[in-house]
Amino acid sequence: MTHRHRLNLAIAAALFASIAVVGCKKKEEPVATMPPPAEPAPAPTPPPAMPAPAAITVTSVTLGTAAGADKKIAAPLLVFTPKDKIIVSVATDGTASNVDVASRLVFQDGQTAGEMKQALNTTGAETTNFEFTNANPWPAGKYKAEVTVAGAPAQSVDFEVK
């Protein structure tokens, strides 16, 4: 073999080897890096404790113009005169400690005609009365006496002033 031929053969071999190496070379894969560990998040603050629901129920709502010594309405009414005192008698049962019981008179047009509340402390059956009077005669029309316990609707009674 001639020197030139060997040289060409060596160059061809080197060229082939470099092509093979370049062709086989793997692309560099990006290396995943882990971020430094984060500080642990503070524990979430629990929501403020809600007061326990009232453990009382309204057993009845009676309307009238006079109540006995036991606070019960002797002669229940659903129709009143414009000059009547309107007593909303609320009978409850259960246990309550400083729970608001409220009564509201609502006129047919949605206006509040009177509203009262009392804190109830009881461990059994109880009657709470709300006495509504009006310096002027009650307007004639349809009304509703709404009763709530701890702000939640309990019962309502429709009545009329004639």
Side-chain angles (χ1 to χ4, degrees), residues 106-123:
V106 181
F107 189 58
Q108 63 194 13
D109 65 0
Q111 290 185 53
T112 298
E115 189 167 19
M116 302 173 113
K117 72 177 172 180
Q118 295 181 34
L120 187 61
N121 293 294
T122 185
T123 57

Side-chain angles (χ1 to χ4, degrees), residues 97-158:
S97 178
N98 207 30
V99 173
D100 282 338
V101 175
S103 179
R104 179 169 81 133
L105 303 183
V106 181
F107 189 58
Q108 63 194 13
D109 65 0
Q111 290 185 53
T112 298
E115 189 167 19
M116 302 173 113
K117 72 177 172 180
Q118 295 181 34
L120 187 61
N121 293 294
T122 185
T123 57
E126 180 86 26
T127 301
T128 306
N129 287 344
F130 300 93
E131 293 187 16
F132 294 94
T133 57
N134 198 347
N136 300 312
W138 295 104
K142 296 186 183 291
Y143 291 77
K144 182 178 292 232
E146 298 176 338
V147 175
T148 61
V149 175
Q155 280 192 27
S156 66
V157 175
D158 294 325

Side-chain angles (χ1 to χ4, degrees), residues 23-113:
C24 289
K25 186 176 180 184
K26 285 175 76 178
K27 276 188 161 181
E28 282 192 35
E29 299 279 328
V31 176
T33 58
M34 296 292 288
E39 298 269 333
T45 304
M50 297 296 291
I56 62 169
T57 56
V58 173
T59 56
S60 68
V61 175
T62 310
L63 307 180
T65 57
D70 61 356
K71 297 184 180 179
K72 295 183 180 178
I73 303 291
L77 296 172
L78 292 177
V79 178
F80 296 85
T81 69
K83 293 184 180 185
D84 281 341
K85 169 174 55 176
I86 300 171
I87 299 175
V88 178
S89 182
V90 180
T92 55
D93 196 9
T95 302
S97 178
N98 207 30
V99 173
D100 282 338
V101 175
S103 179
R104 179 169 81 133
L105 303 183
V106 181
F107 189 58
Q108 63 194 13
D109 65 0
Q111 290 185 53
T112 298

